[in-house]
């Protein structure tokens, strides 16, 4: 199960759980929020920045399909 944790979404765990790369589903959303300094890709995780924590509900809404 995936949980919302401070370290973010583990990209490998996402791949194992959903059998697809997170970027294959959310590439535009992720890049949009990275550009706005709301998300960061640390390599293994995609997580909220300090500013993203402030606007987390807006970020989460962007991931709804």
């Amino acid at each position: 199960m995936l949980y919302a944790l401070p370290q973010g979404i583990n990209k490998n765990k996402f791949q194992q759980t959903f059998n697809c790369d997170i970027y294959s589903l959310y590439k535009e959303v992720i890049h949009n929020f990275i550009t706005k300094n709301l998300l960061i890709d640390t390599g293994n995780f995609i997580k909220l920045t300090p500013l993203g924590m402030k606007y987390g509900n807006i970020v989460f809404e962007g991931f709804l399909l």
Side-chain angles (χ1 to χ4, degrees):
M1 175 162 284
L2 296 172
Y3 297 98
L5 299 171
Q7 69 262 24
I9 297 294
N10 181 313
K11 294 191 298 187
N12 292 326
K13 182 80 169 174
F14 186 96
Q15 172 77 38
Q16 292 170 356
T17 302
F18 298 107
N19 199 32
C20 68
D21 179 74
I22 192 167
Y23 277 98
S24 69
L25 291 175
Y26 297 111
K27 181 179 181 177
E28 287 184 38
V29 173
I30 293 168
H31 285 297
N32 180 41
F33 289 130
I34 288 174
T35 301
K36 293 178 179 175
N37 194 34
L38 298 173
L39 284 178
I40 187 168
D41 186 332
T42 66
N44 293 325
F45 292 88
I46 297 172
K47 68 179 197 168
L48 293 168
T49 64
L51 182 61
M53 292 285 233
K54 189 174 182 181
Y55 298 102
N57 285 342
I58 293 169
V59 176
F60 302 145
E61 181 182 359
F63 286 90
L64 297 176
L65 293 175

